[in-house]
PDB file of all heavy atoms in Angstrom:
ATOM      1  N   HIS V 109     206.165 264.297 124.979  1.00 97.00           N
ATOM      2  CA  HIS V 109     205.179 263.906 123.971  1.00 97.00           C
ATOM      3  C   HIS V 109     204.851 262.417 124.083  1.00 97.00           C
ATOM      4  O   HIS V 109     203.686 262.024 124.096  1.00 97.00           O
ATOM      5  CB  HIS V 109     205.723 264.236 122.574  1.00 97.00           C
ATOM      6  CG  HIS V 109     204.955 263.633 121.457  1.00 97.00           C
ATOM      7  ND1 HIS V 109     203.738 264.120 121.051  1.00 97.00           N
ATOM      8  CD2 HIS V 109     205.224 262.567 120.671  1.00 97.00           C
ATOM      9  CE1 HIS V 109     203.294 263.377 120.042  1.00 97.00           C
ATOM     10  NE2 HIS V 109     204.182 262.439 119.799  1.00 97.00           N
ATOM     11  N   TYR V 110     205.875 261.592 124.188  1.00 97.00           N
ATOM     12  CA  TYR V 110     205.654 260.148 124.302  1.00 97.00           C
ATOM     13  C   TYR V 110     205.037 259.774 125.650  1.00 97.00           C
ATOM     14  O   TYR V 110     204.140 258.936 125.709  1.00 97.00           O
ATOM     15  CB  TYR V 110     206.959 259.379 124.084  1.00 97.00           C
ATOM     16  CG  TYR V 110     207.261 259.139 122.626  1.00 97.00           C
ATOM     17  CD1 TYR V 110     208.193 259.923 121.945  1.00 97.00           C
ATOM     18  CD2 TYR V 110     206.642 258.120 121.926  1.00 97.00           C
ATOM     19  CE1 TYR V 110     208.477 259.702 120.613  1.00 97.00           C
ATOM     20  CE2 TYR V 110     206.920 257.891 120.595  1.00 97.00           C
ATOM     21  CZ  TYR V 110     207.836 258.682 119.935  1.00 97.00           C
ATOM     22  OH  TYR V 110     208.104 258.456 118.615  1.00 97.00           O
ATOM     23  N   ARG V 111     205.481 260.400 126.705  1.00 97.00           N
ATOM     24  CA  ARG V 111     204.919 260.094 128.035  1.00 97.00           C
ATOM     25  C   ARG V 111     203.425 260.387 128.095  1.00 97.00           C
ATOM     26  O   ARG V 111     202.659 259.615 128.688  1.00 97.00           O
ATOM     27  CB  ARG V 111     205.653 260.881 129.115  1.00 97.00           C
ATOM     28  CG  ARG V 111     206.991 260.307 129.465  1.00 97.00           C
ATOM     29  CD  ARG V 111     207.600 261.007 130.675  1.00 97.00           C
ATOM     30  NE  ARG V 111     209.025 260.730 130.688  1.00 97.00           N
ATOM     31  CZ  ARG V 111     209.978 261.618 130.420  1.00 97.00           C
ATOM     32  NH1 ARG V 111     209.677 262.878 130.170  1.00 97.00           N
ATOM     33  NH2 ARG V 111     211.246 261.264 130.437  1.00 97.00           N
ATOM     34  N   ARG V 112     203.005 261.489 127.503  1.00 96.00           N
ATOM     35  CA  ARG V 112     201.578 261.846 127.489  1.00 96.00           C
ATOM     36  C   ARG V 112     200.733 260.759 126.823  1.00 96.00           C
ATOM     37  O   ARG V 112     199.551 260.625 127.124  1.00 96.00           O
ATOM     38  CB  ARG V 112     201.353 263.172 126.751  1.00 96.00           C
ATOM     39  CG  ARG V 112     201.699 264.388 127.559  1.00 96.00           C
ATOM     40  CD  ARG V 112     201.230 265.666 126.876  1.00 96.00           C
ATOM     41  NE  ARG V 112     201.814 265.881 125.560  1.00 96.00           N
ATOM     42  CZ  ARG V 112     202.950 266.534 125.335  1.00 96.00           C
ATOM     43  NH1 ARG V 112     203.645 267.028 126.348  1.00 96.00           N
ATOM     44  NH2 ARG V 112     203.394 266.699 124.110  1.00 96.00           N
ATOM     45  N   SER V 113     201.331 259.997 125.947  1.00 94.00           N
ATOM     46  CA  SER V 113     200.597 258.949 125.229  1.00 94.00           C
ATOM     47  C   SER V 113     200.837 257.563 125.806  1.00 94.00           C
ATOM     48  O   SER V 113     200.470 256.562 125.193  1.00 94.00           O
ATOM     49  CB  SER V 113     201.000 258.977 123.751  1.00 94.00           C
ATOM     50  OG  SER V 113     200.623 260.207 123.173  1.00 94.00           O
ATOM     51  N   GLY V 114     201.466 257.482 126.970  1.00 95.00           N
ATOM     52  CA  GLY V 114     201.609 256.215 127.664  1.00 95.00           C
ATOM     53  C   GLY V 114     202.826 255.383 127.306  1.00 95.00           C
ATOM     54  O   GLY V 114     202.891 254.203 127.659  1.00 95.00           O
ATOM     55  N   PHE V 115     203.783 255.962 126.633  1.00 97.00           N
ATOM     56  CA  PHE V 115     205.010 255.250 126.292  1.00 97.00           C
ATOM     57  C   PHE V 115     206.003 255.335 127.443  1.00 97.00           C
ATOM     58  O   PHE V 115     205.976 256.283 128.222  1.00 97.00           O
ATOM     59  CB  PHE V 115     205.670 255.868 125.052  1.00 97.00           C
ATOM     60  CG  PHE V 115     204.948 255.605 123.771  1.00 97.00           C
ATOM     61  CD1 PHE V 115     203.873 256.386 123.399  1.00 97.00           C
ATOM     62  CD2 PHE V 115     205.343 254.577 122.938  1.00 97.00           C
ATOM     63  CE1 PHE V 115     203.197 256.155 122.209  1.00 97.00           C
ATOM     64  CE2 PHE V 115     204.678 254.341 121.737  1.00 97.00           C
ATOM     65  CZ  PHE V 115     203.602 255.133 121.378  1.00 97.00           C
ATOM     66  N   LEU V 116     206.885 254.369 127.513  1.00 96.00           N
ATOM     67  CA  LEU V 116     208.048 254.458 128.384  1.00 96.00           C
ATOM     68  C   LEU V 116     209.154 255.077 127.550  1.00 96.00           C
ATOM     69  O   LEU V 116     209.419 254.623 126.431  1.00 96.00           O
ATOM     70  CB  LEU V 116     208.476 253.074 128.865  1.00 96.00           C
ATOM     71  CG  LEU V 116     207.471 252.320 129.724  1.00 96.00           C
ATOM     72  CD1 LEU V 116     207.994 250.940 130.044  1.00 96.00           C
ATOM     73  CD2 LEU V 116     207.191 253.095 130.997  1.00 96.00           C
ATOM     74  N   GLY V 128     209.556 252.815 124.235  1.00 95.00           N
ATOM     75  CA  GLY V 128     208.873 251.537 124.078  1.00 95.00           C
ATOM     76  C   GLY V 128     207.427 251.617 124.498  1.00 95.00           C
ATOM     77  O   GLY V 128     207.010 252.542 125.193  1.00 95.00           O
ATOM     78  N   ARG V 129     206.686 250.635 124.047  1.00 93.00           N
ATOM     79  CA  ARG V 129     205.260 250.552 124.377  1.00 93.00           C
ATOM     80  C   ARG V 129     205.005 249.151 124.914  1.00 93.00           C
ATOM     81  O   ARG V 129     204.895 248.202 124.159  1.00 93.00           O
ATOM     82  CB  ARG V 129     204.438 250.819 123.121  1.00 93.00           C
ATOM     83  CG  ARG V 129     202.974 250.825 123.290  1.00 93.00           C
ATOM     84  CD  ARG V 129     202.571 252.125 123.906  1.00 93.00           C
ATOM     85  NE  ARG V 129     201.130 252.213 124.010  1.00 93.00           N
ATOM     86  CZ  ARG V 129     200.486 253.347 124.041  1.00 93.00           C
ATOM     87  NH1 ARG V 129     201.140 254.478 123.952  1.00 93.00           N
ATOM     88  NH2 ARG V 129     199.198 253.366 124.181  1.00 93.00           N
ATOM     89  N   GLN V 130     204.947 249.011 126.235  1.00 90.00           N
ATOM     90  CA  GLN V 130     204.835 247.690 126.855  1.00 90.00           C
ATOM     91  C   GLN V 130     203.540 246.977 126.523  1.00 90.00           C
ATOM     92  O   GLN V 130     203.499 245.757 126.503  1.00 90.00           O
ATOM     93  CB  GLN V 130     204.974 247.798 128.365  1.00 90.00           C
ATOM     94  CG  GLN V 130     206.380 248.083 128.813  1.00 90.00           C
ATOM     95  CD  GLN V 130     206.495 248.047 130.321  1.00 90.00           C
ATOM     96  OE1 GLN V 130     205.619 248.523 131.022  1.00 90.00           O
ATOM     97  NE2 GLN V 130     207.577 247.476 130.808  1.00 90.00           N
ATOM     98  N   ASP V 131     202.471 247.719 126.272  1.00 92.00           N
ATOM     99  CA  ASP V 131     201.192 247.069 126.024  1.00 92.00           C
ATOM    100  C   ASP V 131     200.933 246.748 124.550  1.00 92.00           C
ATOM    101  O   ASP V 131     199.854 246.287 124.204  1.00 92.00           O
ATOM    102  CB  ASP V 131     200.043 247.896 126.598  1.00 92.00           C
ATOM    103  CG  ASP V 131     199.932 249.277 125.977  1.00 92.00           C
ATOM    104  OD1 ASP V 131     200.834 249.684 125.227  1.00 92.00           O
ATOM    105  OD2 ASP V 131     198.932 249.958 126.257  1.00 92.00           O
TER     106      ASP V 131
END
Side-chain angles (χ1 to χ4, degrees):
H109 168 76
Y110 276 101
R111 283 188 199 109
R112 282 190 300 270
S113 297
F115 288 83
L116 297 176
R129 182 78 176 206
Q130 287 186 320
D131 61 351

